[in-house]
Amino acid sequence: MALLVKNKAHNALAVGLVGSEGAIGLGSVLDSNSENLHFLVQTSGSAWMAESADFALLLHQRPGMLWVISQHLWQLTEHIAAISASVQFEDVTTRLARWLALSAERAQMQQLHLTHEHLAQMLGVRRVSITLAAGELKERGLIAYQRGVLNILNLAGLQPTVSSESLKPGRLM
């Protein structure tokens, strides 16, 4: 599930990915929904679902779950910060490689059904930029793709070359 930030003009930028390790919709449990945050299903899969009221009741009955949710939210915050920093500091090819690696890890599959148009929306760039960046990754033997089907050939090779340490505030590139 991609976490998108949209402005009033409906321009969007993906700032996070949530897979089977995480949870979405906590804002509705807290009665704190955001107009700017949206979720978009990126790949198929299965998920658990609970009504907000039922989940809120469960949290009241088992307050220890709040610790687990707090840990998840902190990890998600760090994830969003790293992706947001990559928008500022990384080129499109590196950002695409990062997004594909994260998508494969979250979906737990090496074959992703993603179009260049979808990837352009996620990264907040023009479609032609994705085509050029994907072509570079394909030339390097990291991915193969054809008409909406993208195969990860070398997941380790897609891992970002810019470490999360270098994206922390106060560090110079």
Side-chain angles (χ1 to χ4, degrees), residues 17-172:
L17 270 175
V18 177
S20 61
E21 83 295 338
I24 62 166
L26 295 173
S28 62
V29 174
L30 302 170
D31 288 328
S32 178
N33 290 321
S34 170
E35 293 180 20
N36 297 332
L37 295 177
H38 300 274
F39 292 95
L40 176 68
V41 173
Q42 182 171 273
T43 55
S44 63
S46 58
W48 292 92
M49 185 185 101
E51 294 294 328
S52 295
D54 293 339
F55 193 61
L57 179 63
L58 181 63
L59 291 177
H60 286 295
Q61 292 173 344
R62 301 198 185 265
M65 287 183 63
L66 291 174
W67 179 253
V68 174
I69 290 172
S70 296
Q71 288 177 313
H72 166 67
L73 291 176
W74 182 249
Q75 289 170 349
L76 184 59
T77 300
E78 288 181 328
H79 173 66
I80 290 169
I83 288 181
S84 298
S86 76
V87 171
Q88 180 70 30
F89 300 119
E90 296 175 350
D91 61 36
V92 174
T93 303
T94 303
R95 289 174 53 210
L96 177 60
R98 176 191 299 271
W99 190 260
L100 294 176
L102 286 170
S103 296
E105 289 169 0
R106 297 295 197 271
Q108 298 175 347
M109 60 181 65
Q110 302 284 339
Q111 185 177 75
L112 304 170
H113 296 276
L114 303 172
T115 65
H116 287 197
E117 186 66 36
H118 172 80
L119 291 166
Q121 180 186 10
M122 295 298 99
L123 298 183
V125 298
R126 296 180 313 141
R127 188 185 161 288
V128 69
S129 298
I130 296 298
T131 300
L132 293 171
E136 186 178 328
L137 295 175
K138 186 176 184 178
E139 281 180 24
R140 291 175 22 202
L142 302 175
I143 64 171
Y145 61 86
Q146 62 180 18
R147 265 210 174 305
V149 178
L150 193 141
N151 290 297
I152 307 294
L153 303 177
N154 182 348
L155 184 60
L158 284 178
Q159 300 302 330
T161 56
V162 178
S163 72
S164 60
E165 282 298 309
S166 65
L167 296 176
K168 289 186 178 176
R171 301 278 308 222
L172 297 175

